[in-house]
Structures are given as structure tokens and as C-alpha cells.
Amino acid sequence: MNLISVPAVTAAARELMPPGALPDPAEARALVHDLREAAETSTDLVLDAMRLAPAVEDAARARLAAGETRVVDRLGWVQANAETFASLLSGAQPGESGGARERGTAHGGVPTPGGTAGTGPSGSRGTGPEGSRGTVPQGSRSPGMLRRLRDRSARTTASVELGGALALVGSRVLGQFDPFAGEAGVLYLVAPSVWEVEHALDVPPRDFRLWVALHERTHHVQFAAAPWLADHLRSRIDGLLNPLLGAEAGDGFLDSLRALPDALREGESLLDAVVGPEQAAAVEEIGALMSLLEGHADVLMDTVGRKVIPRVGRIRRAFDARRRSATGIRAIVSTLLGIDEKIAQYARGAAFVRAVVRDRGHDGLAAVWEAPELLPSAAEIAEPALWLARVPRPGDA
């Protein structure tokens, strides 16, 4: 049984999340154009700063070309994340989890999700088992039917609660790279949120749009430079989730999904209640990877931003102040796995990257994209000298 219904998640979020404002149609079309242009401009800026080997850069560019950039509204972001959640929980490919892949357009090309609010997981309204209406006599209910009824109810409840959880953070997400979507990953830029924040902060729109695009494109380039990274991350997620999704553990996991919104409000994580001490090492490994990815994106934003964004310092200070909610890749992984979402995670990862770059330059840091065994551990994130001692310098035997 798929644990998540994408239409039910999206319908719940639609009811709970403010859609966000957009300018008039002409300005909205300009916003979409600017965001797409910023994403494209960011590709060369990020690759130039990363100093990858020529062959690696060429291969990364080919993978980047195979990926997608989508400018979406908030509900489009929710639907995309619901599809990825469903994929991670079921082992299916994104788009096979029951969510509608087709989207209409509005606001000058900003996609909006399809589907109808108020429908059940399969689009039915108030039907009983097998599409019949009314009730089934108690004596004729087999254990299998009762199990299916309970599973359907639990699936709907869990989907609604997940929709509520995504609605909590969806109004604050500016952009995200999803390495598990599409054929080669999808970069999402959330137009209403970008519009609202750039006006609230009173920063030049061109600078802010490029700032947001730089962060998310850096994540895209990371996965393009390391084609093994998405599978590596997913295998670690599967290793944590598989013990939770068995026949005996499934009910407890559904209970945890139902508790997700309250956990997020309290600063807790989904897996706090269901992951035992024996899985702490796996959680720590994923946490180290998230620290590296986010810290590296922060360093690249500063490195590139100083050259092309006149008010980068002001934007940086305002951007850091918004880090109370999950954004970027953490919106998928951290919410699901309970990785630390505090600013300290960025700070640790950025400190690691800066230490390596001071010692070996960006071309020396590029070793982390070569193979899983060259990724820093949690201990090495905290103490970069350990990684520097373990990993040879470029050109060393």
C-alpha cells in the first residue's frame, strides 16, 4: 500500500496554506522570465567557482542540460514534494504515486497543480469499498476487508497530516532542487514567495532573484558533478525507512506521519519517535551530507555573490534571518528524516568547506564529489583537519 496520496496531500495544503500574492500579469511574466534567466546564469557562475576537472565539468554540464527548471506557485511546490515523499515511502518513481503530473498555467507561466480539493485518494467522494455506496453488514466483513478499510483510512489521514506539515513551511520556501524528481532532477523556484520576500526586504529584485537561484543551482551542480550522489542519498534513506515500512511497523509509521505537524511545531523530527539507537549512525551520516551540501551552497553564494550581486551583504543578513524553516533540499530530506534544521548545520558545513578551500582551494574540495568514501563524516565536518589528513591532495599518490 502506498502510504501517501498525492491528491489528498495537495488538497489539505490548499486549504491551509496562503497562496501568496503575485503582481499583475505583465509583471508576473517578467518575474517568471527573470527567475529562469537567473537560474541559467547561475550555472556558469557556480561551475566557474567550483573548479572541477575539465572532464568532470563537461559531464556535469550534460547532466544539467538533462535536468529541468520549473517556476511554480506554492501549491505546485507542495504537489512536487508530495510526489517525492510518496516515491521515497513506496519505492516507486516520482509521478507513479497517484499524483497528477499535468499542471495548468497561470500568472504568465507559473504552473499550478491539477486535481480537485475534497476528493479522496482515488478521486472518489464518499464511496465505500470497491466503489459501492452505503454500508456492509458487520457479519459479512472479512478480516481482509477490515484491513483494507483501516489502511485506506490511515492513508488518507496520514496524507492530510503531511499536507498540513508541508503547508507549515510551504509559504516560506523560495526554491528547491529535488534530486529525485524527473529524469535528472528538477530545480523549483517559487514565484509568489520570491516576490513577497524581495518586497518585504526592500532589496533590488534582480539581485535577490539571482541570490535565490545561485543557492538552488549550486545544489543542482553538486548532484550533476557527482552522478552517484542521488542514489547514495536514496539508499541511506531507504535503509532508514525500510525497517519502518514492514507489515508490523507500518501502523507505527503511519502514526508518526499523523504526528508530523505537531512535531514540526515543537522543533522535533518525524523519526525521533520511530528510529532506534541502532540507526543513529545512518542519521548521522545523512546529517553530515546535508551539512556539506548546504554549507557548500552557502560558501558558493558568498564567493559568487561578491562578484555579481552589489548588495550581497545585506541580502545575506536578511536571508540568514529566515532560516527558521526548512528550505532547499532539506525541505525533502530533513523533514522526512529529522536531520538538524538549525542554522548550526549550515555553519558547520560552511566552516568545513572554508577550511578545505583555505588549505587546498576549490579544486581540492572537488574530491568530495568523486566517490562516496571521500564524503566527510560527521566527525570530519566538525574537525576538517581529519578529512584533510585522510584525503590526499590533488596529484598526490
Side-chain angles (χ1 to χ4, degrees), residues 32-394:
V32 173
H33 175 270
D34 287 353
L35 288 172
R36 290 188 175 278
E37 186 174 73
E40 293 305 311
T41 299
S42 296
T43 300
D44 285 336
L45 295 173
V46 172
L47 283 169
D48 287 347
M50 285 180 66
R51 301 292 299 274
L52 300 171
V56 175
E57 180 176 328
D58 289 344
R61 286 186 180 276
R63 297 185 192 101
L64 288 165
E68 298 180 60
T69 299
R70 299 180 188 173
V71 181
V72 298
D73 60 14
R74 289 172 179 174
L75 207 56
W77 176 86
V78 168
Q79 180 169 330
N81 276 266
E83 290 170 354
T84 295
F85 270 95
S87 169
L88 291 172
L89 292 172
S90 69
Q93 293 300 312
E96 297 177 358
S97 57
R101 294 298 295 178
E102 297 181 0
R103 295 183 173 92
T105 60
H107 305 302
V110 180
T112 56
T116 303
T119 61
S122 60
S124 61
R125 294 181 182 270
T127 59
E130 308 299 328
S132 64
R133 294 184 180 273
T135 60
V136 179
Q138 182 67 36
S140 66
R141 292 182 180 178
S142 67
M145 179 179 291
L146 291 173
R147 174 72 182 186
R148 288 195 297 274
L149 287 169
R150 186 180 68 175
D151 287 351
R152 182 178 298 178
S153 175
R155 178 175 185 250
T156 301
T157 301
S159 298
V160 169
E161 297 294 354
L162 180 58
L166 290 175
L168 286 174
V169 297
S171 62
R172 296 180 62 83
V173 173
L174 303 179
Q176 169 185 324
F177 175 66
D178 184 347
F180 306 120
E183 296 297 322
V186 178
L187 189 155
Y188 297 98
L189 296 169
V190 186
S193 298
V194 172
W195 173 263
E196 285 188 0
V197 173
E198 68 188 23
H199 281 76
L201 299 180
D202 192 25
V203 295
R206 176 262 179 196
D207 290 356
F208 188 73
R209 294 166 191 180
L210 182 57
W211 172 260
V212 173
L214 274 171
H215 185 96
E216 304 310 332
R217 184 64 85 193
T218 298
H219 289 315
H220 196 174
V221 175
Q222 291 165 345
F223 282 85
W228 48 268
L229 185 55
D231 286 341
H232 175 79
L233 178 57
R234 180 154 190 166
S235 71
R236 269 52 187 175
I237 295 173
D238 288 345
L240 284 176
L241 293 182
N242 287 341
L244 307 176
L245 301 180
E248 295 181 359
D251 291 341
F253 190 72
L254 289 169
D255 289 341
S256 297
L257 281 175
R258 287 190 284 268
L260 180 55
D262 287 339
L264 286 175
R265 290 187 189 98
E266 298 298 323
E268 298 174 356
S269 66
L270 172 60
L271 292 192
D272 282 342
V274 293
V275 172
E278 68 279 3
Q279 293 173 300
V283 173
E284 186 177 74
E285 181 182 3
I286 296 174
L289 177 55
M290 291 298 102
S291 292
L292 170 67
L293 297 179
E294 296 291 359
H296 179 249
D298 265 15
V299 172
L300 263 290
M301 287 170 74
D302 289 341
T303 300
V304 175
R306 284 192 293 268
K307 301 176 182 178
V308 298
I309 300 176
R311 300 188 184 181
V312 65
R314 177 183 171 188
I315 293 175
R316 157 62 69 192
R317 290 188 294 273
F319 196 77
D320 285 345
R322 293 183 55 83
R323 282 181 166 163
R324 293 181 178 272
S325 62
T327 59
I329 293 176
R330 296 182 309 139
I332 299 175
V333 179
S334 295
T335 302
L336 182 63
L337 296 182
I339 306 301
D340 182 8
E341 294 182 349
K342 298 179 181 178
I343 296 177
Q345 184 181 40
Y346 288 88
R348 287 193 300 269
F352 170 84
V353 170
R354 291 189 180 100
V356 174
V357 169
R358 280 196 301 270
D359 190 79
R360 300 182 181 181
H362 283 277
D363 48 352
L365 176 71
V368 299
W369 316 119
E370 293 178 7
E373 57 269 20
L374 297 181
L375 291 172
S377 66
E380 290 169 337
I381 289 286
E383 187 57 55
L386 297 175
W387 187 89
L388 290 168
R390 179 173 68 87
V391 177
R393 290 178 178 272

